[in-house]
Amino acid sequence: MEYINYIDIKIDNLQDNIDYFRNHYNYKYYILDVSNNAFYHGMYIINQIKNIDYLYVNNFKDLLLVRKYNKKIPTIYSGNIDENNIYDLIMNNAILVIRNYDFKDYEEIKDDVEIIISIDIKGYNGFKNKEEIRDLGNLIKNNKHIKVLGLIANIEEEDYTYFKEITLPLRDLNLFILNNELDKNKIKGSNAIKLDNSIYGINKEKKELFKKEIKPFKQAFTLYSKITMITKERQKKKEIILGVIPLGLLKGMPENIKKVRINNKFYEIYKILEEYSLIIIDDDVKLKEIVEITGKNNPLENYIQGNIYAYLSMLEEIGVIIYNGERKLVY
């Protein structure tokens, strides 16, 4: 079956990005954020990639998607926890991020579960002092089913001494997630890092749009459409040839895209409307020609500023995802 609008996920690009990160940033554990259905790339990818130690999700729906494809891979869950969902989380083998002790039934848990304690020295999103951590320890210490696996914190290097002091009540921990992609310089005591946008191919550290520079991460997805109509229009004193693609703002077309590739040649976007877009083409472009909207050769990062996640969400509007050129039954 031929698709008019579709996304092709290059698993090799994902793996190259992971390998590049591991080769350049030395940690014991690498954690891949696969929230929002792996940033809309499809949870199918989790069994195709290697050299990832943990997955990370921020909601229960994504945890269930992970378990659809892999029952055993260690998965950190950082979403809401309460008496209504804790047993579902445990039954799905989630490693729970604990940010407070409002839920008082931890001591009643009868199944084995690992937890990671969130530390926030300002107290916004975790435990902020030694007393709070000690109270949590007292709450769970008599339950042999609960194991504290590690700590997660968003701290600067200068905060480490205080961080170490307030976490003294905790002993024999395995995982210290003190770094994220915004701060790759290893903080003392950190042995793990959470990966998100870079692995999917968004280079955040660019300096200027379209400036030539080293961009180590390859965009994992390529967005394609097809020319469904060719027409002509008079623009001032000359006539232009326009190719129509059935991909517009309401169907997932990135609104800031300025150019596309057809037969390895760039063409300018003329207009992006709700249901379709117009491309200024030439006589070399034929009907049903494949149009590469954005991919490794025309990265989305060249056009976007601000909220990267909002731009990636347009992948969900396309609907059809293939992997390495082959359709998989994943949606």
Side-chain angles (χ1 to χ4, degrees):
M1 180 178 180
E2 291 189 1
Y3 303 104
I4 301 296
N5 302 318
Y6 64 100
I7 300 156
D8 191 0
I9 308 295
K10 303 297 185 186
I11 303 295
D12 288 347
N13 286 2
L14 279 166
Q15 190 61 58
D16 287 346
N17 293 339
I18 292 169
D19 293 343
Y20 176 89
F21 208 107
R22 291 182 66 102
N23 290 336
H24 287 79
Y25 301 96
N26 184 28
Y27 290 86
K28 184 175 181 180
Y29 301 107
Y30 298 84
I31 302 164
L32 180 60
D33 194 338
V34 292
S35 300
N36 299 312
N37 199 11
F39 293 96
Y40 309 101
H41 288 67
M43 207 65 78
Y44 172 82
I45 67 171
I46 66 174
N47 284 339
Q48 312 303 312
I49 56 178
K50 302 175 182 177
N51 298 326
I52 286 295
D53 301 291
Y54 294 88
L55 299 180
Y56 180 100
V57 297
N58 60 20
N59 62 82
F60 187 60
K61 180 180 177 181
D62 284 322
L63 176 65
L64 293 180
L65 274 176
V66 168
R67 292 295 171 242
K68 175 181 176 181
Y69 294 105
N70 191 306
K71 302 296 185 185
K72 296 182 179 180
I73 190 167
T75 303
I76 299 168
Y77 170 84
S78 72
N80 178 58
I81 302 171
D82 56 37
E83 62 271 21
N84 296 316
N85 69 2
I86 189 167
Y87 290 104
D88 287 329
L89 293 169
I90 292 172
M91 293 305 293
N92 280 282
N93 200 25
I95 301 167
L96 307 180
V97 175
I98 306 299
R99 293 190 170 86
N100 57 63
Y101 43 77
D102 289 343
F103 176 46
K104 301 300 184 184
D105 293 333
Y106 290 124
E107 65 268 33
E108 301 299 324
I109 291 174
K110 303 301 182 184
D111 298 285
D112 291 345
V113 62
E114 293 180 317
I115 68 172
I116 294 173
I117 298 175
S118 175
I119 307 296
D120 184 343
I121 59 178
K122 294 184 179 179
Y124 299 136
N125 197 37
F127 296 88
K128 66 180 179 180
N129 56 46
K130 189 185 298 184
E131 289 71 32
E132 288 186 351
I133 294 171
R134 185 180 290 116
D135 288 345
L136 176 66
N138 290 335
L139 191 65
I140 64 176
K141 68 180 181 180
N142 295 322
N143 190 327
K144 65 180 181 180
H145 296 290
I146 300 176
K147 176 185 176 182
V148 181
L149 180 64
L151 303 174
I152 186 169
N154 185 15
I155 62 173
E156 304 290 339
E157 185 66 43
E158 58 265 28
D159 300 324
Y160 182 73
T161 299
Y162 180 68
F163 166 82
K164 188 174 180 181
E165 176 188 336
I166 68 174
T167 56
L168 279 176
L170 302 169
R171 295 285 186 274
D172 302 322
L173 303 183
N174 189 49
L175 195 61
F176 295 88
I177 313 169
L178 310 183
N179 282 87
N180 57 53
E181 289 192 339
L182 297 178
D183 184 9
K184 301 181 184 73
N185 296 320
K186 182 181 283 191
I187 294 173
K188 189 186 304 179
S190 181
N191 68 356
I193 188 166
K194 182 168 78 71
L195 313 177
D196 45 66
N197 285 340
S198 66
I199 298 308
Y200 299 94
I202 303 297
N203 289 280
K204 297 178 186 176
E205 297 172 354
K206 63 184 187 304
K207 296 178 182 178
E208 295 179 19
L209 298 183
F210 299 106
K211 181 179 178 181
K212 272 199 167 183
E213 56 191 305
I214 297 175
K215 294 184 177 182
F217 302 114
K218 304 171 184 175
Q219 187 166 303
F221 77 90
T222 305
L223 172 57
Y224 293 104
S225 188
K226 287 185 180 179
I227 299 289
T228 55
M229 179 185 294
I230 295 175
T231 186
K232 295 181 180 180
E233 182 174 310
R234 183 154 296 278
Q235 186 185 57
K236 296 181 180 179
K237 293 184 178 182
K238 67 175 184 177
E239 190 175 64
I240 58 173
I241 307 173
L242 296 174
V244 182
I245 58 172
L247 194 65
L249 293 175
L250 299 182
K251 295 185 177 181
M253 181 72 174
E255 60 182 328
N256 291 338
I257 290 285
K258 305 299 183 187
K259 55 185 180 179
V260 297
R261 282 168 60 93
I262 306 173
N263 293 328
N264 299 317
K265 180 179 176 180
F266 281 107
Y267 290 89
E268 181 184 345
I269 292 282
Y270 181 57
K271 286 181 182 178
I272 301 177
L273 298 117
E274 289 187 352
E275 300 288 340
Y276 61 93
S277 299
L278 301 174
I279 305 163
I280 300 176
I281 59 174
D282 54 31
D283 291 328
D284 293 334
V285 177
K286 308 302 181 186
L287 201 62
K288 296 186 179 180
E289 205 86 77
I290 293 176
V291 180
E292 180 182 321
I293 309 297
T294 176
K296 186 178 70 172
N297 298 308
N298 188 28
L300 190 61
E301 70 196 24
N302 285 341
Y303 305 98
I304 62 177
Q305 296 181 24
N307 190 343
I308 293 169
Y309 305 105
Y311 283 92
L312 288 178
S313 67
M314 59 90 181
L315 298 182
E316 191 172 40
E317 303 298 322
I318 308 301
V320 177
I321 293 183
I322 66 175
Y323 295 87
N324 293 338
E326 297 180 4
R327 178 73 166 126
K328 303 293 182 183
L329 297 176
V330 295
Y331 263 70

